[in-house]
Amino acid sequence: MTEATTPVAPPRRRGQAVRGAMRLLIGLVVAVVALWAVGGRRGELEGALSYLSHLRWEWLVAAVIAEILAIVAFGALQRSLLDAGGTPMGLGLATAIAFGGNAIQNSLPAGPLWSNVWAFRQFRRRGADEVLAVWTLFATSVLSAASLAAVAALGVLIARNENVALDVLLVAGTGVVILVGLHYLLRRHGWTLGVAARIVRLLQRVVHRPKDDADELVEAWWRRLTAVTPSRHTWAMGFAFAAANWLWDALALALASAAVGAGVPWRTLLLAYGAAQLAINLPITPGGLGVVEGSLTIALVAYGGNREATVATVVLYRLISFWGLLAVGWLCWGVLALQLRRSGAEAEESP
């Protein structure tokens, strides 16, 4: 289990900012090169633009709604986990945190780290203790990874593609090994807690945090951690919400294809989508910018998609799922920050 210490964001230096800007620039270049390579010729790219100039607006609106529902499902996932730990949260607030975290993750270098730090602080300010906040983020990652593997496996079954079956089995097998390993470490918690205490002592020598006795801290964290005992129903609902997050996003891709007037490749859609989502996890550019466009377009074309229509579909999908969500996410971030500032001011003024 991830150690429950308060995440501390490292100071942002000028060099980090420059590297972040360079990664963003590289991502944009990769996106342009990928689309150019897949399009092949200028005439084909112009053909893709012609698709975008004749959008079917009813399908475009449906794609936007599907993408919003994907974020709502992610917020519902974290809400259910927090509720299992005794910290109820409204779905609207959980969704706003999910939107804000998504914007941070897709905008900054080391985005997932900054996003988790921000979400951790949001959970803490709304009643969750340190252990529950960390446990929620950890459980969210596990359920998201497991559900993505299930979606990819479903894509293989639907596509009946034997060439990638072994890869999916490898991913699924790795997930099972990780879950079995976690189960073993939790059952042998005496040994695990001893290792955790040594890690805490090392942190205390290096960064002088956390304070107090390491053994007592680890024991207290363990008691609090074991107090979070979600039922099977909670785990099932969490997995369902995590899978819904991926499936709504995949549906947005399908609806984007319908919006440009192209046929939806239902048989290979989930297979190509799963490959693109794995590309997002590569630490190359924020939000997989450029990498996703290239991998998703190449996968769809490889399975028989029309080049111009596929390029137009991917461009429209990323405008909705990346750039559109960035705008909404940073707006939610600003609203939440303003609310916390106002609540802090009211607390200071109260007698």
Side-chain angles (χ1 to χ4, degrees), residues 72-334:
V72 172
F74 190 84
L77 164 62
Q78 295 191 324
R79 173 178 177 266
S80 66
L81 296 174
L82 288 169
D83 185 65
T87 303
M89 179 181 291
L91 180 59
L93 176 58
T95 300
I97 293 175
F99 269 111
N102 179 77
I104 294 173
Q105 177 174 324
N106 290 335
S107 301
L108 304 177
L113 171 62
W114 291 101
S115 175
N116 283 330
V117 169
W118 183 79
F120 173 90
R121 291 173 176 170
Q122 293 296 317
F123 298 157
R124 291 282 289 122
R125 289 165 179 167
R126 287 164 176 84
D129 61 22
E130 292 183 355
V131 175
L132 177 59
V134 171
W135 178 86
T136 298
L137 295 172
F138 177 79
T140 297
S141 299
V142 171
L143 289 172
S144 294
S147 59
L148 178 58
V151 168
L154 180 61
V156 172
L157 292 176
I158 295 175
R160 298 179 182 177
N161 189 308
E162 297 179 357
N163 293 330
V164 297
L166 291 178
D167 294 336
V168 173
L169 288 176
L170 178 61
V171 172
T174 302
V176 171
V177 170
I178 292 174
L179 292 177
V180 171
L182 288 173
H183 180 70
Y184 174 82
L185 291 176
L186 292 176
R187 287 182 64 87
R188 303 280 182 173
H189 61 271
W191 176 84
T192 307
L193 295 184
V195 173
R198 293 188 184 94
I199 295 174
V200 172
R201 293 190 189 96
L202 177 62
L203 289 173
Q204 288 174 335
R205 286 196 295 269
V206 175
V207 299
H208 307 293
R209 296 185 66 177
K211 300 184 182 298
D212 300 326
D213 182 72
D215 293 317
E216 294 180 358
L217 284 173
V218 171
E219 282 292 336
W221 292 334
W222 175 254
R223 287 194 299 270
R224 178 64 186 91
L225 183 63
T226 53
V228 183
T229 54
S231 64
R232 292 182 179 179
H233 177 265
T234 299
W235 283 119
M237 290 299 297
F239 182 87
F241 285 134
N245 168 246
W246 299 119
L247 292 174
W248 279 117
D249 188 40
L251 180 60
L253 173 62
L255 293 171
S257 181
V260 300
V264 180
W266 293 110
R267 185 174 175 180
T268 57
L269 179 72
L270 287 181
L271 189 59
Y273 174 80
Q277 290 303 322
L278 292 175
I280 289 179
N281 294 320
L282 296 175
I284 299 176
T285 60
L289 186 62
V291 179
V292 174
E293 288 82 352
S295 61
L296 187 55
T297 306
I298 291 171
L300 290 173
V301 171
Y303 289 113
N306 175 274
R307 288 187 176 183
E308 294 90 341
T310 299
V311 171
T313 295
V314 172
V315 168
L316 181 60
Y317 165 71
R318 287 294 275 175
L319 284 174
I320 297 170
S321 64
F322 184 83
W323 298 106
L325 291 188
L326 278 186
V328 177
W330 283 115
L331 177 62
C332 289
W333 178 89

